[in-house]
Amino acid sequence: AVSLGGRNSYMSKLPPAGSAAPSAAPDPPKPAAYGAAAMTDLVDEIQWSSCECLNAASKDGLGRVMKQGLRDQEDLLLESDADEQLLLTIAFKGPMKVHSLQVDAPSDGRAPKEVKLFVNCPSLDFDDAEGRQAQQQLELAAEQLGTRLPLDFVKFQSVQTLSLFVVSNQEEGEVSALSGVRLWGTAVATTNMTEFKRVAGEKGEGE
């Protein structure tokens, strides 16, 4: 007779009918935040000494609307001087990816309406801004003021300076006014060559 021991021993290893299936593998870790969720307030990345604002009624106007603690005070305004136009140039400590912005302004008709955005034009003046092609042009409706607005992200990938040219205001008056400007984005990843060379040197010395 043929021995069935091999078959019986194989069958004995199978789980009995009706037994629970092995527990499922744990869920994989959630991916890192991306898109708008990964973007942070860029206020700490601004190089204040290299920022400027043309046609402002006061020299400290830019700080009033962008610095922490000041930009939240609605009565601290950046106002235009000779006419309705303003040109803000914001410099960063390093290259940034700028994702979105928010413009806060009074509701008396002086809030910006047409705003042009320029990238990496640190010496931009009004003549340049009038004739140069902007990276993006915004036409702000009153209800968009005070809300976070996404930019055309692919055009703001390595921003060292960002210029905001306020062309007109909501009621076409002679004075434009802002109470806050906020920017969101992230730093461009860069290689620390000093650290790279040090590690490469240590590797060579050990071989």
XYZ file of all heavy atoms in Angstrom, residues 58-128:
548
model
N 4.657 106.838 3.372
C 5.562 106.778 4.524
C 6.645 105.741 4.279
O 6.417 104.737 3.590
C 4.795 106.435 5.805
O 4.172 105.169 5.687
N 7.827 105.972 4.842
C 8.964 105.095 4.590
C 8.805 103.714 5.211
O 9.382 102.742 4.723
C 10.250 105.751 5.111
C 10.667 107.001 4.344
C 11.977 107.561 4.870
C 12.409 108.790 4.086
N 13.696 109.355 4.586
N 8.058 103.614 6.300
C 7.905 102.326 6.978
C 6.641 101.585 6.539
O 6.203 100.640 7.187
C 7.884 102.529 8.493
C 6.709 103.402 8.941
O 6.115 104.086 8.090
O 6.396 103.393 10.140
N 6.059 102.008 5.423
C 4.795 101.421 4.980
C 4.861 99.937 4.696
O 3.942 99.187 5.034
N 5.957 99.477 4.084
C 6.069 98.064 3.731
C 6.100 97.194 4.984
O 5.441 96.148 5.055
C 7.316 97.827 2.882
C 7.502 96.416 2.320
C 6.340 96.044 1.416
C 8.811 96.310 1.542
N 6.856 97.619 5.989
C 6.908 96.870 7.243
C 5.553 96.798 7.922
O 5.197 95.781 8.521
N 4.784 97.876 7.824
C 3.458 97.906 8.444
C 2.554 96.789 7.930
O 1.755 96.220 8.687
C 2.771 99.242 8.152
C 3.357 100.451 8.837
C 2.522 101.672 8.473
N 3.095 102.916 8.996
C 2.534 104.100 8.832
N 1.398 104.199 8.149
N 3.111 105.180 9.333
N 2.646 96.505 6.641
C 1.698 95.553 6.054
C 2.256 94.137 5.917
O 1.512 93.229 5.541
C 1.216 96.038 4.662
C 0.496 97.359 4.785
C 2.367 96.136 3.669
N 3.551 93.931 6.261
C 4.118 92.598 6.074
C 4.718 91.993 7.329
O 4.791 90.765 7.453
C 5.179 92.625 4.963
C 4.624 92.950 3.592
S 5.648 92.335 2.251
C 5.409 90.571 2.396
N 5.167 92.805 8.263
C 5.851 92.262 9.442
C 4.850 91.679 10.440
O 3.737 92.167 10.589
C 6.706 93.336 10.111
C 7.961 93.681 9.318
C 8.862 94.659 10.061
C 10.155 94.908 9.293
N 11.050 95.856 9.995
N 5.314 90.607 11.108
C 4.506 89.936 12.120
C 4.102 90.926 13.209
O 4.912 91.709 13.690
C 5.338 88.816 12.745
C 4.549 87.736 13.438
C 3.923 86.755 12.472
O 2.764 86.912 12.114
N 4.671 85.762 12.046
N 2.831 90.908 13.584
C 2.345 91.786 14.631
C 1.833 93.123 14.115
O 1.031 93.776 14.786
N 2.311 93.556 12.952
C 1.856 94.822 12.373
C 0.817 94.598 11.285
O -0.153 95.356 11.170
C 3.047 95.600 11.793
C 4.143 96.008 12.787
C 5.281 96.729 12.055
C 3.580 96.897 13.889
N 1.015 93.550 10.492
C 0.124 93.307 9.356
C -1.297 92.941 9.787
O -2.221 92.964 8.968
C 0.709 92.197 8.474
C 0.810 90.854 9.191
C 1.512 89.822 8.351
N 1.526 88.531 9.039
C 2.077 87.431 8.542
N 2.660 87.473 7.356
N 2.050 86.297 9.211
N -1.488 92.572 11.060
C -2.824 92.213 11.533
C -3.601 93.422 12.054
O -4.756 93.298 12.440
C -2.717 91.167 12.656
C -2.083 89.875 12.159
O -2.480 89.403 11.077
O -1.186 89.345 12.843
N -2.969 94.584 12.077
C -3.629 95.794 12.579
C -4.203 96.581 11.399
O -3.470 97.184 10.615
C -2.629 96.638 13.375
C -2.025 95.893 14.564
C -1.100 96.775 15.380
O -1.407 97.948 15.620
N 0.029 96.221 15.821
N -5.508 96.568 11.294
C -6.184 97.144 10.131
C -5.958 98.644 9.981
O -6.077 99.186 8.884
C -7.686 96.842 10.203
C -8.027 95.362 10.100
C -9.522 95.114 10.156
O -10.280 96.099 10.269
O -9.935 93.937 10.076
N -5.640 99.315 11.080
C -5.475 100.771 10.998
C -4.062 101.177 10.584
O -3.803 102.359 10.345
C -5.835 101.421 12.334
C -5.006 100.872 13.490
O -4.574 99.712 13.403
O -4.802 101.605 14.479
N -3.140 100.216 10.495
C -1.788 100.508 10.012
C -1.762 100.254 8.513
O -1.767 99.112 8.063
C -0.749 99.628 10.724
C -0.537 99.906 12.213
C 0.528 98.965 12.776
C -0.147 101.361 12.447
N -1.740 101.324 7.733
C -1.905 101.217 6.291
C -0.631 101.590 5.535
O 0.154 102.430 5.990
C -3.041 102.125 5.809
C -4.435 101.851 6.367
C -5.420 102.907 5.849
C -4.907 100.449 6.015
N -0.474 100.958 4.395
C 0.490 101.398 3.386
C -0.332 102.139 2.336
O -1.182 101.551 1.667
C 1.205 100.198 2.770
C 1.999 100.445 1.480
C 3.076 101.502 1.684
C 2.612 99.145 0.965
N -0.090 103.440 2.195
C -0.865 104.268 1.275
C 0.029 104.843 0.182
O 1.210 105.135 0.422
C -1.534 105.409 2.036
C -2.532 104.941 3.081
C -3.053 106.085 3.936
O -2.252 106.670 4.686
O -4.268 106.382 3.835
N -0.540 105.002 -1.009
C 0.210 105.604 -2.107
C 0.289 107.110 -1.910
O -0.503 107.708 -1.170
C -0.445 105.259 -3.450
O -1.751 105.814 -3.536
N 1.244 107.740 -2.597
C 1.512 109.159 -2.383
C 1.055 110.023 -3.561
O -0.006 110.642 -3.527
C 3.008 109.330 -2.116
C 3.373 110.742 -1.688
O 2.456 111.515 -1.357
O 4.570 111.071 -1.686
N 1.866 110.062 -4.628
C 1.600 110.995 -5.740
C 0.383 110.605 -6.577
O -0.303 111.468 -7.133
C 2.837 111.090 -6.639
N 0.135 109.305 -6.694
C -1.034 108.824 -7.437
C -1.443 107.484 -6.841
O -1.013 107.123 -5.745
C -0.746 108.720 -8.945
C 0.438 107.815 -9.270
O 0.786 106.952 -8.434
O 1.033 107.962 -10.353
N -2.263 106.725 -7.577
C -2.823 105.496 -7.019
C -1.881 104.290 -7.101
O -2.177 103.230 -6.551
C -4.147 105.157 -7.731
C -4.030 104.588 -9.145
C -3.782 105.648 -10.206
O -3.506 106.811 -9.845
O -3.858 105.307 -11.406
N -0.756 104.411 -7.763
C 0.104 103.258 -7.989
C 1.111 103.050 -6.856
O 1.590 103.991 -6.227
C 0.837 103.393 -9.325
C -0.113 103.383 -10.517
C 0.621 103.353 -11.844
O 1.774 103.734 -11.942
N -0.074 102.891 -12.886
N 1.420 101.775 -6.608
C 2.430 101.361 -5.631
C 3.283 100.264 -6.255
O 2.794 99.473 -7.068
C 1.772 100.817 -4.356
C 1.143 101.815 -3.381
C 0.208 101.089 -2.421
C 2.226 102.557 -2.610
N 4.547 100.217 -5.881
C 5.428 99.159 -6.372
C 6.215 98.600 -5.187
O 7.137 99.237 -4.686
C 6.369 99.695 -7.450
C 7.307 98.683 -8.112
C 6.528 97.499 -8.688
C 8.130 99.356 -9.212
N 5.820 97.414 -4.746
C 6.457 96.744 -3.614
C 7.418 95.692 -4.146
O 7.028 94.857 -4.980
C 5.430 96.050 -2.724
C 4.396 96.870 -1.943
C 3.365 97.502 -2.859
C 3.703 95.980 -0.922
N 8.662 95.725 -3.700
C 9.626 94.684 -4.055
C 10.062 93.983 -2.775
O 10.627 94.606 -1.870
C 10.840 95.261 -4.795
O 10.399 95.815 -6.042
C 11.863 94.171 -5.085
N 9.778 92.685 -2.703
C 10.044 91.877 -1.514
C 11.214 90.949 -1.814
O 11.167 90.166 -2.774
C 8.797 91.058 -1.140
C 7.612 92.007 -0.899
C 9.054 90.184 0.075
C 6.274 91.371 -1.131
N 12.272 91.039 -1.027
C 13.469 90.206 -1.217
C 13.478 89.089 -0.179
O 13.104 89.295 0.981
C 14.729 91.062 -1.089
N 13.937 87.916 -0.612
C 14.009 86.764 0.286
C 15.462 86.433 0.621
O 16.390 86.809 -0.095
C 13.336 85.546 -0.361
C 11.871 85.732 -0.610
C 11.396 85.980 -1.889
C 10.959 85.670 0.425
C 10.042 86.160 -2.131
C 9.605 85.857 0.211
C 9.143 86.101 -1.073
N 15.656 85.710 1.715
C 16.997 85.316 2.155
C 17.615 84.285 1.218
O 18.831 84.127 1.181
C 16.927 84.753 3.575
C 16.457 85.772 4.607
C 16.254 85.128 5.963
C 15.733 86.118 6.982
N 15.450 85.476 8.299
N 16.791 83.572 0.500
C 17.236 82.569 -0.463
C 16.116 82.332 -1.458
O 15.020 82.888 -1.312
N 16.351 81.520 -2.503
C 15.307 81.275 -3.496
C 14.103 80.553 -2.903
O 14.253 79.602 -2.138
C 16.014 80.417 -4.555
C 17.205 79.842 -3.861
C 17.617 80.815 -2.821
N 12.929 81.023 -3.259
C 11.673 80.485 -2.734
C 10.750 80.019 -3.853
O 10.801 80.541 -4.967
C 10.931 81.561 -1.924
C 11.648 82.034 -0.689
S 11.675 80.790 0.600
C 13.310 81.104 1.281
N 9.905 79.060 -3.527
C 8.769 78.721 -4.368
C 7.559 79.395 -3.732
O 7.192 79.079 -2.607
C 8.564 77.203 -4.408
C 9.712 76.436 -5.045
C 9.414 74.948 -5.073
C 10.545 74.171 -5.729
N 10.237 72.709 -5.810
N 6.974 80.358 -4.446
C 5.862 81.123 -3.898
C 4.558 80.549 -4.447
O 4.341 80.513 -5.658
C 5.994 82.618 -4.225
C 4.843 83.395 -3.598
C 7.338 83.158 -3.723
N 3.709 80.114 -3.545
C 2.503 79.382 -3.921
C 1.246 80.249 -3.950
O 0.390 80.112 -4.828
C 2.297 78.219 -2.934
C 1.040 77.442 -3.141
N -0.162 77.782 -2.543
C 0.790 76.342 -3.887
C -1.090 76.920 -2.911
N -0.545 76.035 -3.720
N 1.114 81.155 -2.979
C -0.125 81.912 -2.871
C 0.112 83.210 -2.107
O 1.134 83.369 -1.431
C -1.214 81.071 -2.175
O -0.699 80.425 -1.020
N -0.843 84.123 -2.241
C -0.738 85.401 -1.518
C -2.112 85.837 -1.040
O -3.143 85.366 -1.522
C -0.079 86.479 -2.377
C -0.792 87.065 -3.600
C -1.880 88.059 -3.228
C 0.204 87.775 -4.494
N -2.080 86.755 -0.080
C -3.301 87.361 0.435
C -3.078 88.857 0.553
O -2.051 89.295 1.072
C -3.650 86.771 1.805
C -4.879 87.391 2.460
C -5.222 86.710 3.761
O -5.189 85.479 3.853
N -5.550 87.491 4.789
N -4.041 89.623 0.076
C -3.990 91.075 0.163
C -5.131 91.540 1.059
O -6.298 91.250 0.794
C -4.113 91.730 -1.232
C -4.174 93.246 -1.104
C -2.950 91.320 -2.125
N -4.776 92.228 2.127
C -5.774 92.828 3.020
C -5.799 94.333 2.771
O -4.749 94.956 2.575
C -5.420 92.552 4.483
C -5.360 91.066 4.790
O -6.306 90.356 4.426
O -4.361 90.622 5.390
N -6.983 94.916 2.806
C -7.097 96.339 2.484
C -8.401 96.889 3.048
O -9.343 96.138 3.322
C -7.043 96.543 0.968
N -8.457 98.202 3.231
C -9.703 98.803 3.729
C -10.835 98.651 2.712
O -10.600 98.471 1.519
C -9.327 100.274 3.934
C -8.131 100.502 3.060
C -7.393 99.208 3.030
N -12.059 98.739 3.215
C -13.241 98.542 2.354
C -13.833 99.857 1.875
O -15.022 99.935 1.573
C -14.297 97.745 3.128
O -14.648 98.420 4.332
N -12.994 100.900 1.782
C -13.491 102.221 1.381
C -13.205 102.546 -0.081
O -13.287 103.704 -0.494
C -12.878 103.292 2.283
C -11.346 103.274 2.257
O -10.775 102.515 1.440
O -10.727 104.007 3.058
N -12.872 101.526 -0.881
C -12.630 101.745 -2.303
C -11.171 101.939 -2.658
O -10.813 101.942 -3.842
N -10.272 102.065 -1.666
C -8.854 102.278 -1.947
C -8.078 100.976 -2.105
O -6.880 100.991 -2.414
C -8.222 103.113 -0.826
C -8.750 104.528 -0.736
C -8.029 105.310 0.360
N -8.286 104.769 1.686
C -7.553 105.030 2.761
N -6.488 105.817 2.653
N -7.870 104.526 3.945
N -8.729 99.851 -1.910
C -8.062 98.551 -2.022
C -7.591 98.300 -3.454
O -8.241 98.737 -4.418
C -9.019 97.445 -1.602
N -6.464 97.588 -3.628
C -5.961 97.300 -4.977
C -6.973 96.526 -5.818
O -7.714 95.695 -5.303
C -4.710 96.446 -4.713
C -4.277 96.828 -3.343
C -5.547 97.092 -2.594
N -6.957 96.815 -7.101
C -7.792 96.078 -8.049
C -6.911 95.326 -9.036
O -6.881 94.101 -9.041
C -8.738 97.034 -8.784
C -9.674 96.324 -9.760
C -10.643 97.308 -10.414
C -11.601 96.581 -11.350
N -12.532 97.534 -12.006
N -6.153 96.051 -9.856
C -5.239 95.387 -10.789
C -3.848 95.331 -10.163
O -3.286 96.360 -9.785
C -5.176 96.137 -12.123
C -4.296 95.446 -13.161
C -4.183 96.225 -14.468
O -4.931 97.213 -14.638
O -3.341 95.855 -15.301
N -3.303 94.109 -10.064
C -1.981 93.901 -9.477
C -1.163 93.011 -10.407
O -1.628 91.938 -10.819
C -2.081 93.239 -8.085
C -0.682 92.999 -7.498
C -2.909 94.088 -7.135
N 0.035 93.460 -10.754
C 0.942 92.667 -11.583
C 2.081 92.136 -10.719
O 2.603 92.860 -9.857
C 1.511 93.515 -12.722
C 0.480 93.961 -13.748
C 1.132 94.761 -14.877
C 0.127 95.182 -15.928
N 0.773 95.937 -17.036
N 2.467 90.887 -10.949
C 3.525 90.241 -10.178
C 4.732 89.979 -11.070
O 4.600 89.411 -12.163
C 3.023 88.915 -9.595
C 1.762 88.992 -8.725
C 1.351 87.609 -8.271
C 1.961 89.910 -7.538
N 5.903 90.376 -10.590
C 7.153 90.192 -11.326
C 8.144 89.410 -10.464
O 8.257 89.665 -9.260
C 7.772 91.545 -11.696
C 6.907 92.406 -12.572
C 5.999 93.296 -12.020
C 7.005 92.330 -13.962
C 5.207 94.104 -12.828
C 6.214 93.120 -14.780
C 5.309 94.014 -14.213
N 8.888 88.505 -11.093
C 9.860 87.671 -10.390
C 11.282 88.090 -10.748
O 11.603 88.281 -11.927
C 9.639 86.176 -10.733
C 10.778 85.313 -10.214
C 8.314 85.699 -10.166
N 12.104 88.245 -9.727
C 13.545 88.487 -9.880
C 13.862 89.726 -10.728
O 14.679 89.686 -11.648
C 14.240 87.244 -10.452
C 14.100 86.037 -9.533
O 13.866 86.183 -8.341
N 14.241 84.848 -10.080
N 13.193 90.822 -10.370
C 13.478 92.127 -10.986
C 13.779 93.109 -9.854
O 12.956 93.988 -9.543
C 12.295 92.601 -11.821
S 11.816 91.498 -13.156
N 14.946 92.979 -9.195
C 15.225 93.755 -7.979
C 15.284 95.258 -8.193
O 15.075 96.019 -7.247
C 16.580 93.202 -7.507
C 17.201 92.609 -8.736
C 16.068 92.068 -9.543
N 15.575 95.710 -9.416
C 15.693 97.155 -9.677
C 14.489 97.697 -10.444
O 14.572 98.743 -11.086
C 16.984 97.438 -10.459
O 18.119 96.987 -9.746
N 13.370 97.009 -10.352
C 12.171 97.395 -11.098
C 11.676 98.775 -10.670
O 11.606 99.091 -9.487
C 11.074 96.357 -10.844
C 9.856 96.380 -11.778
C 10.236 95.882 -13.162
C 8.742 95.502 -11.189
N 11.378 99.618 -11.677
C 10.742 100.907 -11.392
C 9.405 100.965 -12.132
O 9.012 100.009 -12.802
C 11.657 102.074 -11.760
C 12.047 102.100 -13.244
O 11.311 101.525 -14.076
O 13.092 102.696 -13.573
N 8.713 102.086 -12.032
C 7.378 102.165 -12.620
C 7.405 102.046 -14.146
O 6.516 101.423 -14.740
C 6.690 103.465 -12.190
C 6.195 103.444 -10.769
C 6.857 104.145 -9.778
C 5.076 102.711 -10.427
C 6.403 104.127 -8.464
C 4.605 102.679 -9.122
C 5.274 103.388 -8.138
N 8.397 102.645 -14.785
C 8.493 102.537 -16.246
C 8.673 101.085 -16.669
O 8.041 100.614 -17.621
C 9.654 103.388 -16.768
C 9.368 104.883 -16.671
O 8.174 105.244 -16.596
O 10.329 105.669 -16.653
N 9.549 100.366 -15.967
C 9.758 98.946 -16.274
C 8.477 98.155 -16.061
O 8.103 97.299 -16.874
C 10.860 98.361 -15.380
C 12.226 98.950 -15.672
O 12.449 99.385 -16.814
O 13.067 98.988 -14.750
